[in-house]
Amino acid sequence: MKLLSIVSSLLCAGSALSFAPSPVSNSRAVTSLNAAAEELYIDQDRRNLMNLILVGSAAVTVGGLAVPYIAFFVPPGAGGGSGGSPAKDALGNDLFAKEYLESKLANDRSLAQGLKGDATYLIVKEDKTLESYGLNAVCTHLGCVVPWSAPNNKFMCPCHGSQYAPTGAVVRGPAPLPLALAHCDVAEDGKILFSPWSETDFRTNGKPWWN
């Protein structure tokens, strides 16, 4: 009887052991979880790196677009002592007063590159000196470049018939406003300089419309 009890106990113990969790399986599960956590950690690092690259690229792009936009509203730097922008010829060469005046007649009005690259008239006075102002050649009607007509002693727009006096004042429409002014000076090194005109417009006794 005792022998039967011992055999029964051994069979029960064997049966229990057959259903016990395998320690090897637990070890493999822990290893898999650790590997998954490590992979998640690496993926998070990669994600952070990609975010930094994306933000950096966006900042460079925005900065590249913003700088020229801001610079557009900043007056051009000077090439001479008076803080103006050098007048240039059609090839982009700086104009010097002595050589320029020697090549022009009295009362001449010829185009040069002015502020922001706008076509601007340099005016030679009767005494063969430069007038203290230049005239922007852009018609105030629809933006055509207005040529100077020496025989008629006025600026005459070929587009819609607007006419301006030698000072740039309107003498015939449809142009609503006079030609814009710019200061014209000669630097110490002889360069002709343009600078913005911000004071009263002497032709209308009003504020300059171009500012």
Side-chain angles (χ1 to χ4, degrees):
M1 190 71 179
K2 288 182 179 180
L3 180 60
L4 181 61
S5 297
I6 293 171
V7 171
S8 297
S9 298
L10 289 174
L11 289 174
C12 289
S15 188
L17 287 173
S18 66
F19 290 99
S22 172
V24 175
S25 299
N26 286 341
S27 176
R28 289 178 179 174
V30 171
T31 303
S32 299
L33 289 174
N34 289 339
E38 184 178 355
E39 183 177 356
L40 178 63
Y41 179 76
I42 294 174
D43 286 345
Q44 187 63 37
D45 283 349
R46 290 174 179 170
R47 190 176 294 110
N48 291 338
L49 179 60
M50 292 302 296
N51 288 340
L52 288 174
I53 293 174
L54 181 61
V55 171
S57 300
V60 171
T61 302
V62 172
L65 294 174
V67 169
Y69 179 80
I70 295 171
F72 178 81
F73 295 96
V74 178
S82 65
S85 179
K88 298 180 180 295
D89 61 20
L91 299 177
N93 301 311
D94 292 344
L95 293 174
F96 290 83
K98 184 176 183 297
E99 291 81 358
Y100 183 83
L101 292 171
E102 288 175 351
S103 66
K104 302 297 180 182
L105 300 175
N107 297 317
D108 179 78
R109 283 161 173 77
S110 296
L111 287 172
Q113 292 184 46
L115 298 175
K116 298 179 182 178
D118 286 351
T120 304
Y121 281 103
L122 286 169
I123 302 172
V124 181
K125 297 191 292 186
E126 287 280 359
D127 61 359
K128 288 277 288 180
T129 60
L130 283 172
E131 184 60 83
S132 61
Y133 62 86
L135 294 173
N136 192 306
V138 177
C139 182
T140 59
H141 178 221
L142 291 178
C144 301
V145 173
V146 183
W148 167 251
S149 175
N152 294 288
N153 197 38
K154 54 187 173 183
F155 298 96
M156 303 177 68
C157 183
C159 299
H160 301 95
S162 297
Q163 297 182 9
Y164 303 85
T167 60
V170 177
V171 295
R172 174 181 169 181
L177 299 165
L179 298 177
L181 294 168
H183 286 289
C184 181
D185 300 289
V186 178
E188 293 181 359
D189 60 1
K191 288 181 182 179
I192 301 173
L193 303 177
F194 287 122
S195 57
W197 186 293
S198 57
E199 52 269 44
T200 299
D201 184 343
F202 63 86
R203 301 160 303 184
T204 62
N205 293 320
K207 294 181 179 180
W209 62 263
W210 53 90
N211 288 337

